[in-house]
Amino acid sequence: MRKRISSDFYTRGKYGKGYRETECEGSKYLFSLGRYPTKITEEDLPEHYIPIHCRTISYMRGFLKTSGIVDMEYTYCKENHLFKDDYIYISYSEKLEWKQDSFGFLKCTNYDACIDGSD
């Protein structure tokens, strides 16, 4: 029986209840979107899933889908770290939209995945 692999990213652990808390990181099975347990292992993933490790998914290791991307945008922040505070916003369904927040800063509103610069 073929396994259904359809999530935008899979993680090796599960989001915990607290901030940056993770659970089940020793499991051989992956979690869809960092929340939902699956029976999928790393070996089951097709080649268009790449390994990632970043703080936007609670410092967990995981796999990001690179096929089917509709729009992607890179933003940078010239602060005290090189690339650490930069982000790549990825949308698998529609063009990215940028809107002003209550403080007047532009904010991406409809992304499916956000990867930070430390990866």
Side-chain angles (χ1 to χ4, degrees), residues 50-102:
I50 60 169
I52 60 170
H53 175 258
C54 72
R55 58 190 174 139
T56 53
I57 56 169
S58 299
Y59 292 92
M60 284 191 286
R61 296 191 182 277
F63 300 91
L64 178 72
K65 181 171 83 169
T66 58
S67 66
I69 294 175
V70 173
D71 197 11
M72 179 171 35
E73 186 148 344
Y74 172 77
T75 62
Y76 62 92
C77 183
K78 293 181 182 178
E79 292 285 328
N80 59 345
H81 297 95
L82 181 64
F83 303 126
K84 183 178 179 188
D85 298 321
D86 299 354
Y87 293 94
I88 297 176
Y89 296 97
I90 301 170
S91 174
Y92 294 99
S93 56
E94 58 188 346
K95 289 282 192 189
L96 293 172
E97 293 179 8
W98 293 84
K99 296 183 181 176
Q100 279 191 343
D101 64 7
S102 58

Side-chain angles (χ1 to χ4, degrees), residues 12-36:
R12 289 194 177 138
K14 179 182 178 183
Y15 294 135
K17 293 186 179 16
Y19 179 66
R20 290 190 180 163
E21 181 183 340
T22 58
E23 302 172 354
C24 308
E25 285 197 73
S27 173
K28 70 175 185 173
Y29 295 112
L30 301 175
F31 289 83
S32 173
L33 302 175
R35 294 183 189 97
Y36 310 107

